[in-house]
C-alpha cells in the first residue's frame, strides 16, 4: 500500500455541521482588524468576501456527484461537508456585511466572485468543477491549519469575534479537508486533471488576491500614509501565513499520489475541539 493509499484509508475525522452564530455589533471591530495591520486587514477582508460564493460553488460541485458515491462513510462525510460549508457561507455573509459598513468593498467582491464561478460552470465540465473544489479546499485547509498551529497567526486576530469565527471556520476546514478530494477520486477524476487544475488555480488565485486587495487598499485613506504602507508591505515578508512551510504544503498538492491526509491533523483537531467546544470551551456559548 502506498503512502497516499494509507492516508486515504486512515480513520477520517467526523464531519458534522455545528449550529453556531457570531455577531459583530457596531464599534466592536477596529478599522484595521487584523492586528492593526493595514495590508493584512484588506487581504483577510478580501478572502472573507470570496467565501460565501465560493462555499456555494463547492457545495454544488460535490452535490453534483453525490448519487455516484457508494461508500456509506464517504456519503456521511459529504453530508457533513455540505452542512459545514452552508454554515460557513452564512456566517461570512454576516461578517462581510459588517466589513462593508466599515468601508471594505466586500459586496463588490462578492458579486465578482458570483459571476466568476457561474462563468466557470458554463465553460467547464462538472468533473473539473470538482477538481477546482478539491484544489481550493487544500488551500483553505493549509491556511486553516497554519492558523490553528501558529501562535503568531492567532495573535494577529487579537480577541475579537473575528478571531472566534475564523478559529471555528479553521477547525471545520481541517475536519473536511479531504472530502472533495475523495469524492473526486471516487468518481474517476484523474491525477492529470487534478494537478493541472491546481497549477492554474495557484496562478489565478494569487493574482486575484493581489489585485483585489490592492483595489481595496486604494479606497482606504490610511494607504496614502507612505510610512504606514511601507511598514505594512514590509511586514508581509514575516507573515505566518506566507512562510516556506505554508508554500511547501500548498505546492505538495501537485505531486503525483498526493492525498490531503498525508499530513496528520489528529492531535491538532483534538486540541482545538476541546479548547473551543469542550465543557469549558471558549465558543461553547455560541452553539445553539
Amino acid at each position: 500500500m502506498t503512502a497516499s493509499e494509507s492516508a486515504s484509508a486512515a480513520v477520517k475525522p467526523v464531519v458534522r455541521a455545528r449550529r453556531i452564530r457570531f455577531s459583530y455589533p457596531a464599534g466592536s471591530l477596529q478599522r484595521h482588524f487584523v492586528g492593526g495591520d493595514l495590508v493584512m486587514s484588506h487581504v483577510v477582508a478580501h478572502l472573507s468576501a470570496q467565501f460565501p460564493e465560493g462555499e456555494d460553488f463547492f457545495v454544488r460541485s460535490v452535490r453534483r456527484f453525490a448519487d455516484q458515491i457508494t461508500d456509506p462513510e464517504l456519503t456521511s462525510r459529504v453530508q457533513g461537508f455540505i452542512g459545514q460549508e452552508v454554515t460557513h457561507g452564512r456566517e461570512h455573509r454576516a461578517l462581510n456585511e459588517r466589513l462593508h459598513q466599515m468601508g471594505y468593498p466586500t459586496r463588490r467582491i462578492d458579486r465578482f466572485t458570483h459571476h466568476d464561478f457561474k462563468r466557470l460552470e458554463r465553460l467547464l465540465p462538472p468533473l473539473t468543477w470538482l477538481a477546482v473544489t478539491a484544489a481550493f479546499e487544500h488551500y483553505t485547509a493549509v491556511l486553516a491549519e497554519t492558523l490553528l498551529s501558529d501562535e503568531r497567526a492567532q495573535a494577529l486576530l487579537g480577541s475579537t469575534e473575528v478571531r472566534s469565527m475564523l478559529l471555528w471556520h479553521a477547525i471545520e476546514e481541517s475536519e473536511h479537508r479531504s472530502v472533495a478530494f475523495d469524492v473526486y477520486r471516487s468518481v474517476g477524476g484523474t491525477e492529470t486533471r487534478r494537478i493541472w487544475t491546481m497549477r492554474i488555480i495557484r496562478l489565478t488565485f494569487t493574482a486575484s488576491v493581489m489585485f483585489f486587495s490592492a483595489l481595496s487598499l486604494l479606497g482606504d485613506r490610511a494607504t496614502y500614509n507612505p510610512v504606514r504602507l511601507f511598514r505594512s508591505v514590509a511586514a508581509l515578508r514575516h507573515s505566518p501565513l506566507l512562510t516556506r512551510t505554508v508554500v511547501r504544503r500548498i505546492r505538495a498538492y501537485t505531486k503525483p499520489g498526493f492525498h490531503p491526509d498525508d499530513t496528520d491533523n489528529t492531535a491538532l483537531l483534538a486540541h482545538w475541539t476541546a479548547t473551543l467546544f469542550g465543557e469549558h470551551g471558549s465558543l461553547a456559548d455560541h452553539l445553539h
Side-chain angles (χ1 to χ4, degrees), residues 13 144-145 148 169-177 265 268-269:
E145 290 174 3
L148 295 174
H169 190 167
I171 199 172
E172 293 197 344
E173 288 295 333
S174 189
E175 286 173 346
H176 71 231
R177 66 183 183 179
N265 64 358
L268 191 67
L269 285 177

Side-chain angles (χ1 to χ4, degrees), residues 53-74:
E53 290 295 333
E55 308 284 25
D56 288 350
F57 170 79
F58 301 160
V59 168
R60 292 194 300 272
S61 301
V62 171
R63 187 176 274 155
R64 181 73 177 254
F65 292 92
D67 61 352
Q68 298 182 33
I69 300 169
T70 57
D71 178 7
E73 181 189 14
L74 182 53

